[in-house]
Amino acid sequence: MSRSRLETVVRVGELRERIARGRVGVARRDANDRLTARSAAALRLDELAADPPRAAAAFVDHRRVLDGGVRALAGAEAALSSARDDVVHALAGWEAAAQRLEGVHRLDERLAAADDVLRNRREAAETDDLNVVRWRRRHDHPAQPDRRLDELS
C-alpha cells in the first residue's frame, strides 16, 4: 500500500472514529434527557396519587388522570430503555471504529518499519559498493612511483 493511500485510510478511519464518538455523546445526552423525563413523569404521578379526590364524582376523573400518568410513566420508561439501548449500540460502534483505526495505525507502523529496513538496506548496499570500488582501485592499480621524481633524474 502506498504511503499516500495509507494516509488517506488513516484520515478516513480517524473521521469515522470521531463520528462514532460523537454518536455516543448524542446517545448519552438523549438517554439523560429521557431519564429526566421519566423522573418528571414519576414525580407528577406521585403528586397526583398523593392528592386523592374529595367527592365521589371527582374520583372517576382522578382515576383517569392517574391512568394517564401511569401511561406517561410507562412510555417514559420505554423511551429511557430504548435510549439506553442506543447508548450501548453507539458504544459498540465506537469500539469497532476505534479497533479498525488501531489496526490501520499498526499497519502504518509496520509499513514505516519496512520502509526503514529498505532504506537501511539501500544505504548498506551503497556503502558496500563504495568500499568495493575503493578496494579495486587499490588492488587493481598498485602504487606507482612518483613520475615527477623519475622525470627529474
Side-chain angles (χ1 to χ4, degrees):
M1 180 177 285
S2 70
R3 205 33 130 173
S4 63
R5 173 130 168 81
L6 186 61
E7 288 172 358
T8 301
V9 171
V10 168
R11 277 196 309 268
V12 168
E14 288 172 347
L15 287 172
R16 286 181 177 167
E17 191 267 341
R18 204 174 305 144
I19 288 169
R21 188 175 351 131
R23 287 183 180 148
V24 170
V26 168
R28 283 184 174 163
R29 187 187 66 224
D30 187 40
N32 286 337
D33 291 347
R34 300 294 170 100
L35 180 62
T36 302
R38 184 203 159 276
S39 298
L43 183 62
R44 278 193 305 274
L45 185 60
D46 288 344
E47 289 172 355
L48 289 172
D51 187 25
R54 293 185 178 42
F59 180 76
V60 173
D61 290 334
H62 183 68
R63 187 67 187 162
R64 283 187 197 139
V65 171
L66 284 177
D67 288 342
V70 168
R71 281 192 300 275
L73 180 59
E77 286 182 357
L80 177 60
S81 176
S82 174
R84 285 180 177 160
D85 289 343
D86 291 345
V87 169
V88 169
H89 293 308
L91 283 170
W94 181 24
E95 182 180 0
Q99 286 175 350
R100 284 190 302 266
L101 182 59
E102 183 181 336
V104 170
H105 282 299
R106 282 195 309 267
L107 178 63
D108 186 33
E109 290 170 2
R110 284 196 305 263
L111 185 60
D115 287 345
D116 289 344
V117 167
L118 186 60
R119 186 175 46 256
N120 289 340
R121 284 183 185 167
R122 285 181 186 156
E123 289 173 1
E126 185 178 331
T127 302
D128 289 346
D129 290 344
L130 290 173
N131 287 332
V132 166
V133 168
R134 285 183 191 147
W135 185 86
R136 283 184 181 161
R137 281 185 185 165
R138 282 189 209 139
H139 291 84
D140 289 347
H141 305 289
Q144 300 199 2
D146 194 358
R147 290 184 183 175
R148 281 186 260 159
L149 290 176
D150 289 341
E151 292 173 0
L152 292 174
S153 22

